[in-house]
Amino acid sequence: MRIDQLFRFPIKGLPGESIAFAPVEAAGGILGDRAVAFSNGTVEVSDGEWNSCLSFTILKNDKSLQKWSVTSEPPLITVAAPQASAEESLTFDSSESSGKQELREYLSEYLPTQGSHRRDVVSTSHGMFDSRLSGISIINPNTVRQLSKAGSIELDPLRYRGNILVEGLPAFAEFGLIGKTLRIGDVKIAITKSIERCSATSVNPATTEVDTNGPRLLATHFGHLHCGIYGTVISSGTLKVGEQIEVEEAWDGEVGPVPSKRSPRFATVLTAVRPNPETIELTLSDPFGWFAEHDEAGKYLRVHFADPLWRNYTIIAVEPGEVKIAVRVQGEVSRRLAMLKSGDELLVSGPYGTMTAPNVLRSRTAIVTAGIGITPALALLRNTEIYSRVEDLHVLRVERGVPSQLSVQMQDLLNSVDANVEYQHFDSSERRPTHEEIARSVAGCNSVVICGPEGFTRLVRDVCIEQGILPEEIHSETFVSPQTDLSKLFHDFPSASVSCEGSGTSFTWKPEDGVLLEALEAQDVKAPSQCRAGSCGQCAVKLLSGSVSYPMEPSASIPAGQILTCVSVPAENLELAI
């Protein structure tokens, strides 16, 4: 592995420049990288203090910034607004307060404020990076080539704004460097985390136009939003194009991996057990100690392949240093998982979902499951909290044919539950449960758990509503992948105004803005999210007026009066309580 290209971004948010070599310092980055940043007026900023990227004028919120030009010979920086002549450019000294004042006045002429606070040009001794611990960002062009192939669009790695472009690393293998140290000549860099991507990656650095939906491309094809890795310099020196990169074991100093429950990372297969012919249970190692902190039985991990392929699988047990998932062998991804053996590595992210015992088990609980939806139900039944939380338990199971091995496991677990248990099994090849039979199973329950195919989940949910069960007492989960051509489904939607009561933000939504979550994030509205695929419900916000459409039917339950922003678009003008 070696350095293929080097880039410096002198002014945060503006374009970068290609360089052949550059000094780097411990706890800092490339000399002159992110040397100064221009605040956007939303908050007060102080020179010399690190601030979140949301405090500054950045490409995520102003795509026109890519049209500017920037060159530098640190500490001197030359910047020119779009269409500005050479005489209209500004050269300033970024190390002097007078130079930063010159830049503030120059940028203020062209860039409108986003808030009521005074805008300033500020700097820190180590660079105003997005992440406080980061100093160097690394992009793998082979990963970008896989993204290009999946999205049928030629993506320049520069749109991911990395300092180092590496050569000789397989696609997505950079996630395996998290927690390790890279030695490049005299320079040592501790790799601390993966980089979660925003809408800035939608801008083509060559044409300066928005030509794709960067976050949607990652989420739909690869199941996560990460591209590239961040590192912290722990040993100073000079980086040069063409220099070899050596990978060392984890550095034992203060800088280490940054805990992130959803960050893609490689786990090692400890065991692969077939409890029955149709299921495999994989026990995966936890190299960073993240599983025990964030995972619970009933949530699910997401597994990723570079093809691209990805799927969600139920977590059935969490132990110190390891997590166990249940996989029903059907389909391409599960067949690959069934071929894994001890010692193999698997790219995972998560946990996702909310189907855990504390969230869904109540005194009178109904579990209605069909097909592969039995796996989260089994995770709940294995949880010892069921003994103290549930007095009456109604279980309705639908599957084709005689009871499967998984159904037999379910019955064994039900026999050990200290509660009043009613169990019904339906062979769908003979008949499905009637509307009345489903209604009797859920009637009077203060919690209903539904796991199964999308149509089945909607049917049972409708029955629950008819029975007077509150939406917040209905918990559903359907393991589906997002539709890769989602944007085509709302391409012809008309523009609509969106007003956010909590933040005071108003904007006009257009089809090219993507789903509501992406549009809100582009406006700096702090919108909640998790799976970004309509399956966890964490992106729900209150709808005050208007209506939305769901180009992709969400599998998560939607509380009354709320919408899921990650898979919805405006059907008319909207007012949101966010």
Side-chain angles (χ1 to χ4, degrees), residues 125-207:
S125 59
H126 59 277
M128 194 67 75
F129 309 113
D130 280 359
S131 175
R132 189 189 296 270
L133 284 178
S134 68
I136 297 288
S137 56
I138 300 173
I139 300 298
N140 180 3
N142 283 330
T143 295
V144 179
R145 291 186 185 100
Q146 281 296 99
L147 294 174
S148 299
K149 181 180 177 182
S152 300
I153 181 174
E154 191 64 32
L155 301 173
D156 186 335
L158 187 55
R159 79 167 64 210
Y160 297 95
R161 302 174 67 82
N163 295 122
I164 300 176
L165 270 57
V166 298
E167 182 181 84
L169 197 63
F172 298 102
E174 62 270 27
F175 295 135
L177 300 177
I178 297 172
K180 294 183 169 58
T181 300
L182 305 185
R183 180 183 289 277
I184 312 171
D186 294 332
V187 178
K188 292 180 70 175
I189 302 173
I191 304 303
T192 57
K193 62 188 296 186
S194 61
I195 306 174
E196 187 169 357
R197 291 302 174 178
C198 67
S199 61
T201 58
S202 302
V203 182
N204 186 321
T207 67

Side-chain angles (χ1 to χ4, degrees), residues 216-355:
R216 174 60 60 182
L217 189 155
L218 275 164
T220 54
H221 292 285
F222 295 94
H224 58 76
L225 292 173
H226 297 249
C227 181
I229 49 179
Y230 275 138
T232 296
V233 179
I234 55 179
S235 180
S236 304
T238 300
L239 298 177
K240 300 176 184 178
V241 171
E243 204 160 18
Q244 291 297 312
I245 302 174
E246 304 296 331
V247 181
E248 300 181 347
E249 290 304 310
W251 188 57
D252 59 1
E254 295 180 358
V255 179
V258 177
S260 176
K261 62 182 180 179
R262 294 189 300 276
S263 177
R265 68 270 193 190
F266 282 94
T268 301
V269 177
L270 298 178
T271 62
V273 178
R274 298 291 290 262
N276 55 69
E278 61 190 40
T279 309
I280 184 169
E281 294 181 357
L282 296 177
T283 302
L284 306 173
S285 71
D286 179 15
F288 306 130
W290 292 344
F291 288 158
E293 181 179 355
H294 298 292
D295 294 30
E296 299 176 67
K299 291 187 177 182
Y300 53 91
L301 277 188
R302 190 167 289 174
V303 302
H304 311 268
F305 294 96
D307 295 20
L309 282 174
W310 62 273
R311 288 294 184 272
N312 301 320
Y313 291 98
T314 302
I315 297 169
I316 60 174
V318 180
E319 302 292 342
E322 62 187 52
V323 67
K324 183 179 291 185
I325 61 173
V327 179
R328 185 176 181 182
V329 183
Q330 57 175 36
E332 176 64 22
V333 177
S334 59
R335 283 193 289 269
R336 291 192 192 187
L337 295 178
M339 295 174 64
L340 294 176
K341 57 185 183 299
S342 178
D344 288 341
E345 289 196 326
L346 181 65
L347 186 63
V348 303
S349 68
Y352 302 91
T354 58
M355 199 75 77

